[in-house]
């Protein structure tokens, strides 16, 4: 077996029988509009402009702690572990060895992990987990206010901007977690949690770290 730097592979020996892909599975999917891929030319342009305008203040501490969820239904737990570590919250419990660090397995005080693994987790339980693990939480739902849709949208936009303009060096550093429908964006699945990593004001787009 020879593997070269260009990732081409040459195999010497008896041929293996062709193996069909398992049914009803997939490896990645194209990112549908209106989302813009972070690594694309357009994504990099938006990132550079947002960085220049100071609306990526929360990005760097979050990206240092980026975490891929360990189970299909652990998006809420994976997001919260990433956010708590970015905020520098001490879990007061050991992760592994001598290290105190948040992982999904430590986030079990508001809902049993087996239940979350099977059903996911509700918005109120994510807020509960954040609070009981030492974070200050200001939780809002889009349908809770007695205001019209435009007023709710504007309040959300201002909250995103305030969070994304926060200085990572400040003691009161803030992070925003959003709960949204992937189905509404043409993506696989439905209810989902992700942290917001930045905001591009000119196009009114948020960077979802997912």
């Amino acid at each position: 077996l020879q593997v070269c730097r260009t990732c081409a592979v040459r195999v010497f020996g008896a041929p293996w029988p062709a193996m069909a892909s398992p049914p009803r599975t997939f490896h990645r999917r194209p990112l549908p509009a209106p989302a813009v891929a972070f690594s694309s030319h357009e994504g990099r342009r938006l990132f550079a402009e947002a960085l220049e305008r100071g609306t990526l203040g929360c990005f760097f501490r979050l990206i240092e702690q980026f975490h891929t969820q360990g189970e299909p239904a652990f998006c809420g737990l994976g997001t919260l572990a990433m956010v708590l570590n970015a905020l520098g919250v001490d879990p007061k419990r050991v992760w592994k060895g001598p290290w105190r660090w948040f992982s999904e397995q430590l986030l079990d005080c508001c809902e049993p992990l087996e239940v979350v693994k099977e059903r996911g987790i509700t918005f109120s339980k994510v807020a509960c987990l954040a609070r009981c693990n030492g974070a200050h939480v200001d939780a809002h739902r889009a349908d809770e206010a007695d205001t019209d849709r435009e007023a709710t949208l504007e309040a959300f936009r201002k909250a995103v901007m305030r969070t994304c303009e926060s200085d990572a060096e400040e003691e009161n550093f803030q992070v925003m977690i959003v709960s949204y429908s992937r189905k509404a964006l043409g993506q696989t699945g439905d209810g989902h949690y992700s942290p917001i990593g930045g905001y591009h004001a000119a196009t009114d787009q948020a960077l979802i770290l997912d």
Side-chain angles (χ1 to χ4, degrees):
L1 173 64
Q2 179 182 5
V3 181
C4 66
R5 293 183 65 185
T6 56
C7 298
V9 179
R10 291 185 287 176
V11 180
F12 301 90
W16 287 73
M19 298 181 66
S21 298
R24 302 184 66 181
T25 67
F26 53 85
H27 171 240
R28 308 181 67 180
R29 296 189 66 182
L31 186 66
V36 177
F38 180 55
S39 60
S40 67
H41 290 296
E42 177 68 4
R44 284 178 282 169
R45 181 187 69 81
L46 294 170
F47 181 87
E49 291 178 359
L51 182 62
E52 183 180 358
R53 287 163 174 76
T55 52
L56 282 169
C58 54
F59 173 80
F60 295 96
R61 282 179 62 168
L62 283 168
I63 208 65
E64 285 179 338
Q65 309 301 334
F66 191 84
H67 172 78
T68 299
Q69 64 196 66
E71 294 286 344
F74 273 13
C75 55
L77 301 187
T79 293
L80 190 55
M82 177 178 167
V83 164
L84 290 170
N85 287 327
L87 291 172
V89 178
D90 186 344
K92 309 296 185 182
R93 290 170 292 163
V94 170
W95 166 57
K96 291 182 182 181
W99 302 106
R100 299 194 305 272
W101 202 250
F102 281 105
S103 69
E104 295 161 335
Q105 286 66 36
L106 290 186
L107 300 174
D108 58 355
C109 59
C110 297
E111 189 82 300
L113 291 178
E114 287 304 312
V115 174
V116 179
K117 184 177 179 179
E118 181 68 24
R119 305 177 186 173
I121 191 167
T122 64
F123 180 82
S124 60
K125 291 293 178 65
V126 170
C128 169
L129 279 170
R131 290 189 179 101
C132 75
N133 281 284
H136 172 76
V137 179
D138 185 14
H140 297 278
R141 299 179 62 98
D143 58 358
E144 71 180 6
D146 296 328
T147 56
D148 59 30
R149 180 179 180 276
E150 287 302 318
T152 301
L153 178 59
E154 185 58 27
F156 173 69
R157 182 181 288 111
K158 288 180 179 179
V160 170
M161 293 178 64
R162 184 168 59 251
T163 301
C164 295
E165 290 173 351
S166 64
D167 188 341
E169 300 296 326
E170 292 180 356
E171 187 175 346
N172 62 341
F173 174 69
Q174 300 178 26
V175 176
M176 176 179 285
I177 294 175
V178 290
S179 173
Y180 62 99
S181 170
R182 289 170 59 93
K183 185 183 297 184
L185 298 176
Q187 300 175 8
T188 302
D190 196 355
H192 196 56
Y193 296 91
S194 294
I196 295 294
Y199 179 67
H200 189 270
T203 58
D204 197 26
Q205 294 184 81
L207 173 59
I208 299 176
L209 294 180
D210 189 64

